[in-house]
Amino acid sequence: MRVIRKKRPLSFWLLGAVFAAFVLFLYGPMFAIFVLSFQGPEGGLTFPMRGVSLHWFRVLWEGIGVIDIGAAFRRSLVLGTVVMVLTVGLSLLAGLAYRKKLPGGTALFYVVVASLIMPSIIVSLGIGLSFRLLDTGVKTLLEAQWPEALDTFTSTLGMFTSGLGAQLTWTLPFGLLIMFAVFNRFNPAFEEAARDLGATPWQSFRHVVLPLIGPSLVGVGMFGFTLSWDEIARSSQAMGDLNTLPLELQGLTTTVTTPVIYALGTVTTVVSFLVMGLTLATVGLWQSRRR
Amino acid sequence: MNRARTAHLTAWLQASPLAAVFALFFVLPLGLVLMVSFWQASEYELIPAFTGQNYLDVFTGCPVTPDGDLCVTFKTYLSTLKFSVLTWLITALLGFSIAYFLAFHIEGTLTQTVLFIVCTVPFWTSNVIRMISWVPLLGRNGLVNQTLQGMGLIDTPIEWLLFSDFSVVLAFVHLYTMFMIVPIFNSMMRIDRNLLEAARDNGASPWQTVWHVVLPLSRTGLIIGSIFVVALVMGDFVTVGVMGGQQIASVGKIIQVQTSYLQFPIAAANAVILLAVVLLMIVALMRLVNLRKEL
């Protein structure tokens, strides 16, 4: 039933050119630093290539100056995983809540959306400030109750307290919006059928709802991880003493003038793409198994 | 009655972890920012005593300094606004064209999806890396300058390509056009194709169809995208820092610098003012659309 192809209008070619130029614009520069990270030992920050080697990856592996890139890498990985798990869990729960009557749900929704469009520096400053005030409180309390504990206490600011919270205010809005989209397209007839067949609410959730929305949850997880993995603005004032990889990277942009920074860029981009690839593979596998 | 109450309770139990995160890490911190913006501070500690001094300090010498220049705050806001408007204009035009191309010119859902994913993939890589990826192209000895010199078009390298207003806007467009494409594309996909045919049958030129049918119907997407871009650019300090060579001022950067010097009350005052400005811009945009209804 194929319709005879109409002649493409001029606008098709013009817009197609815009699209092609845009894709080149998106990927070209990234491809440039990918290529340049394989510069030889004498190579600089710009073209031409002076030899091809893995030299700058070796330099990266050995560490840049005082910064322990390996440790930052592992920290980012662990934090990203925690953020991912929490984002999936909390978004799913909230998504389920919004399917029922949720008094005050609209207000909560607006808070979540407000967080998404709030300039990140303000959120970051606020969280940093809250934990500093909390520090003052804790210190006063310790002074009054356990003066000896005061010596060991430094700060409540940290990766898994303020840092984690800061990142969740960024990942959860995306998660919740995806859940809305998922449940808007969800056919409740499946659940009704399960109920008619005598399933308990838990059984119908576990055996009917969960398998149907599973691939989307994997997508939410991917969002959670990669958003955390690359996040700077929210966590900049809230991470405490130990920085994540992107924060170290941001600091390095002003000090490092060798292709080692491109090597680092290549490595982190590869991790992002690996996560995306794994996610897509998981979703693909899931859907092919269902058929 | 009782069952309804149980249902409400379950719903709230399910929503409570999410609500708790936003209460603790969003609402409360914003409240504290407002509170601390009225506090005093010594070099090392915050003093909870009410003062309006921080706000006065922000606007020292405003609107015009004794030398006849604009005060620092107004200058910074003007420069930040300039970045916002430029970025918004370019991303809106580009985003609309690309979304239009994908939605109306590409046939077949598979091709559409693939091309759409091609546009969104870079969104998942680090912003800083996407910024520094311009260095080998735009730098003094970068590819652009090398090429232009090689072709004999210029004698000396163009200096304003990198670490300039130009490179900042370029990076913003590079980073944020996606935030325009996605919502506009989403709106366009919901447009009933029969409407376009009706317009054509009534004698509308392609351009008239875009202007009188497609544009009004994709308004929601355009506005949602605009809100994102405006909010992101107004609060940005990373892009302006990296792409401006740490030389260009922006409101976000001022807040960040003051925070790193632990001048929290004045940073908080700046944050409150920035928030007010951004909110005004968003409210103006929101009047045009009901966000909840569109989802």
Side-chain angles (χ1 to χ4, degrees):
Chain A
M1 251 288 285
R2 206 170 156 77
V3 199
I4 301 158
R5 178 155 292 206
K6 291 168 290 186
K7 198 172 159 289
R8 301 261 195 220
L10 179 65
S11 62
F12 172 83
W13 298 107
L14 286 178
L15 285 172
V18 170
F19 181 78
F22 179 70
V23 171
L24 191 71
F25 170 73
L26 274 187
Y27 288 87
M30 285 164 69
F31 186 68
I33 67 158
F34 175 73
V35 170
L36 285 172
S37 62
F38 293 97
Q39 282 265 28
E42 270 86 57
L45 281 176
T46 51
F47 289 100
M49 294 284 284
R50 298 213 175 87
V52 176
S53 73
L54 292 174
H55 175 79
W56 298 107
F57 290 94
R58 200 176 314 124
V59 174
L60 179 69
W61 183 256
E62 283 156 5
I64 310 168
V66 289
I67 296 159
D68 188 348
I69 291 294
F73 186 90
R74 283 190 297 275
R75 278 199 293 272
S76 275
L77 217 54
V78 174
L79 183 65
T81 312
V82 174
V83 169
M84 176 180 80
V85 171
L86 285 176
T87 305
V88 172
L90 300 192
S91 312
L92 172 61
L93 279 175
L96 290 172
Y98 272 98
R99 299 182 72 199
K100 309 185 181 74
K101 267 214 172 74
L102 185 67
T106 312
L108 181 60
F109 173 80
Y110 276 119
V111 168
V112 173
V113 169
S115 171
L116 188 61
I117 54 183
M118 179 71 56
S120 292
I121 182 74
I122 299 178
V123 182
S124 192
L125 168 72
I127 294 175
L129 208 54
S130 318
F131 278 79
R132 267 165 225 278
L133 291 173
L134 183 65
D135 275 358
T136 319
V138 171
K139 276 182 189 151
T140 328
L141 186 76
L142 285 180
E143 221 161 358
Q145 300 291 326
W146 305 276
E148 65 278 10
L150 201 57
D151 301 330
T152 50
F153 177 80
T154 48
S155 174
T156 51
L157 274 163
M159 186 164 293
F160 289 103
T161 53
S162 49
L164 178 64
Q167 295 206 335
L168 284 177
T169 64
W170 178 233
T171 60
L172 283 176
F174 284 99
L176 188 67
L177 290 180
I178 297 176
M179 290 320 297
F180 277 174
V182 169
F183 282 127
N184 272 351
R185 288 171 185 75
F186 190 85
N187 185 352
F190 292 114
E191 280 169 289
E192 243 160 78
R195 203 165 40 241
D196 290 347
L197 291 168
T200 63
W202 169 249
Q203 280 173 326
S204 86
F205 172 73
R206 169 73 188 76
H207 297 290
V208 177
V209 179
L210 205 53
L212 283 173
I213 63 168
S216 314
L217 287 184
V218 178
V220 173
M222 175 180 86
F223 255 99
F225 183 88
T226 42
L227 287 176
S228 158
W229 175 253
D230 295 326
E231 213 289 324
I232 293 179
R234 290 274 157 131
S235 24
S236 62
Q237 316 299 326
M239 262 315 155
D241 300 331
L242 297 168
N243 275 338
T244 56
L245 197 58
L247 284 165
E248 298 285 19
L249 184 68
Q250 191 212 349
L252 290 174
T253 57
T254 50
T255 52
V256 174
T257 50
T258 60
V260 69
I261 193 159
Y262 297 157
L264 182 56
T266 301
V267 170
T268 58
T269 305
V270 165
V271 170
S272 295
F273 282 10
L274 271 181
V275 171
M276 277 192 285
L278 271 175
T279 315
L280 291 177
T282 316
V283 172
L285 207 69
W286 198 315
Q287 273 169 343
S288 69
R289 220 185 47 187
R290 273 218 328 249
R291 282 197 192 104
Chain B
M1 177 65 210
N2 211 4
R3 180 176 290 171
R5 195 173 288 165
T6 331
H8 286 175
L9 195 68
T10 343
W12 260 107
L13 274 178
Q14 284 172 332
S16 59
L18 181 101
V21 168
F22 284 97
L24 278 178
F25 294 101
F26 184 68
V27 178
L28 179 79
L30 288 186
L32 289 177
V33 167
L34 186 64
M35 185 177 84
V36 170
S37 72
F38 290 105
W39 279 14
Q40 297 170 1
S42 72
E43 234 160 288
Y44 298 107
E45 56 178 347
L46 296 165
I47 303 157
F50 184 87
T51 173
Q53 190 60 40
N54 301 310
Y55 288 92
L56 290 178
D57 287 349
V58 170
F59 290 110
T60 315
C62 284
V64 184
T65 58
D67 308 337
D69 290 333
L70 263 185
C71 68
V72 179
T73 304
F74 277 19
K75 249 192 216 156
T76 315
Y77 268 93
L78 273 183
S79 135
T80 314
L81 272 175
K82 180 185 71 186
F83 287 137
S84 287
V85 171
L86 279 175
T87 310
W88 174 76
L89 266 177
I90 300 171
T91 53
L93 261 174
L94 205 51
F96 189 86
S97 319
I98 289 163
Y100 185 87
F101 176 71
L102 290 177
F104 294 113
H105 279 307
I106 299 295
E107 288 147 30
T109 326
L110 184 69
T111 330
Q112 226 166 27
T113 315
V114 169
L115 291 183
F116 186 74
I117 289 175
V118 165
C119 288
T120 50
V121 160
F123 170 65
W124 274 287
T125 57
S126 165
N127 281 4
V128 173
I129 291 161
R130 294 174 68 191
M131 287 171 214
I132 60 170
S133 68
W134 284 104
V135 172
L137 301 184
L138 300 181
R140 202 165 183 284
N141 301 309
L143 210 53
V144 172
N145 272 325
Q146 279 176 15
T147 312
L148 290 178
Q149 277 176 307
M151 287 161 66
L153 288 174
I154 50 169
D155 298 328
T156 45
I158 305 172
E159 299 282 353
W160 52 260
L161 285 178
L162 194 61
F163 303 143
S164 58
D165 287 5
F166 169 77
S167 61
V168 171
V169 174
L170 187 79
F172 278 138
V173 172
H174 195 215
L175 297 173
Y176 300 144
T177 303
M178 213 276 303
F179 284 94
M180 280 287 191
I181 297 177
V182 174
I184 297 177
F185 177 75
N186 197 20
S187 300
M188 282 180 176
M189 289 307 281
R190 294 178 191 193
I191 297 177
D192 187 347
R193 303 297 136 135
N194 291 330
L195 291 176
L196 303 188
E197 211 159 308
R200 199 161 45 233
D201 292 348
N202 281 313
S205 70
W207 181 244
Q208 281 174 324
T209 313
V210 169
W211 189 252
H212 294 293
V213 181
V214 180
L215 187 63
L217 289 175
S218 36
R219 193 184 66 177
T220 313
L222 200 58
I223 290 168
I224 294 176
S226 307
I227 290 175
F228 270 116
V229 170
V230 165
L232 281 163
V233 176
M234 285 301 290
D236 179 272
F237 63 99
V238 181
T239 315
V240 171
V242 173
M243 296 309 284
Q246 312 293 340
Q247 296 298 314
I248 296 171
S250 80
V251 185
K253 200 154 169 46
I254 287 183
I255 297 175
Q256 189 229 355
V257 169
Q258 286 167 342
T259 320
S260 60
Y261 289 114
L262 304 180
Q263 296 170 331
F264 288 110
I266 185 139
N270 265 311
V272 171
I273 296 163
L274 170 65
L275 184 56
V277 171
V278 172
L279 278 181
L280 277 177
M281 295 170 88
I282 290 177
V283 165
L285 287 165
M286 285 283 261
R287 288 192 75 95
L288 306 168
V289 66
N290 182 347
L291 192 61
R292 183 77 205 269
K293 223 167 69 186
E294 304 293 340
L295 279 162

